[in-house]
Amino acid sequence: MASSLELIGSGAESSWTRRAIEVDFSSQEASSTGAGVSGAEGEVPLASVHEFIPTWDPSAEPVASAAESGEPPADTFTGWQAAVTDAQRTQLVVQLQEALEALRQATTRGELGKVLLSYVQGRFPRGFLLGETFGFARVGRGYGPGSDKPEVAALQVDLEAPSLLAMAAAGGRAVVSSVPESPEDEVLFTALGESFSHLVAAPIRLHQRTVGFVVIDGGPSPFGPEELDELEQLTAAASEAYGRLHESSA
């Protein structure tokens, strides 16, 4: 794909700087994606052909207090840009390892989706799981303020048109954007973010083809390289788990 891409990250030693990209659609066209996958689960109202979209709603579960969790309150969303103590950083590392292990042990696609949303909930304002259906991406589940608004349910992103999602699908890696660069992105930001949001879209893949996305709204603060590296590890493990579950159900 011919494009002008701006590497992001902090520090030459960061492995993420070789992988994550900032979207610039001024001189490119997105690649088209493959056809959708069949095998719907009837209980999922949106993007139902992709079973990794869970029926579980994380926003309905009680949130642990700051004293219990050892984390800042969920409504502060300071991310890695704020100073964190060694104890907090250690806890985040432990939580990541627990999430990776849970993905390896997942026995259903619903469990897979639950692990992904559980890990990012409380750290970021909003998070969503999207499934690809016949070349369009639609929201299956999400959490955070406004995740139940009509724009979310109606969202339908054409993956053959330039967008944050099309770039992530074509490249097979997470993509960050802070400014809508196309009509599809205008719709995406309206539904899943705010005018000041930094969005990251990370693909879930099966046999080198994107079957879904994790989209996170980081709010006004840019994503740090540690956060992006964690997300890459999570989606790589999710793709492996999705492939394992797909093969076992074949």
Side-chain angles (χ1 to χ4, degrees), residues 141-165:
R141 292 290 173 183
Y143 73 84
S147 60
D148 58 349
K149 62 185 179 181
E151 290 86 349
V152 174
L155 180 66
Q156 181 171 284
V157 179
D158 185 353
L159 296 177
E160 294 186 358
S163 74
L164 174 69
L165 297 185

Side-chain angles (χ1 to χ4, degrees), residues 6 9 48 66 71 77 120 127 134 136-138 153 160 166 168 172 216 227 229 244:
E6 178 183 354
S48 57
E71 298 178 346
F77 300 114
V120 299
F134 299 115
F136 287 86
R138 299 177 176 87
E160 294 186 358
I216 299 173
E227 292 172 311
D229 189 67
R244 170 174 55 81

Side-chain angles (χ1 to χ4, degrees), residues 81-132:
Q81 302 306 309
V84 295
T85 66
D86 289 342
Q88 289 172 325
R89 191 178 297 274
T90 298
Q91 183 178 18
L92 290 174
V93 171
V94 171
Q95 289 175 343
L96 174 62
Q97 295 306 313
E98 290 176 345
L100 294 174
E101 181 61 26
L103 288 172
R104 287 189 285 267
Q105 296 183 7
T107 58
T108 67
R109 294 180 177 95
E111 290 180 17
L112 189 158
K114 178 177 180 177
V115 171
L116 291 173
L117 287 183
S118 293
Y119 183 77
V120 299
Q121 187 184 19
R123 299 184 63 191
F124 303 100
R126 280 171 289 274
F128 302 88
L129 292 177
L130 287 74
E132 183 270 340

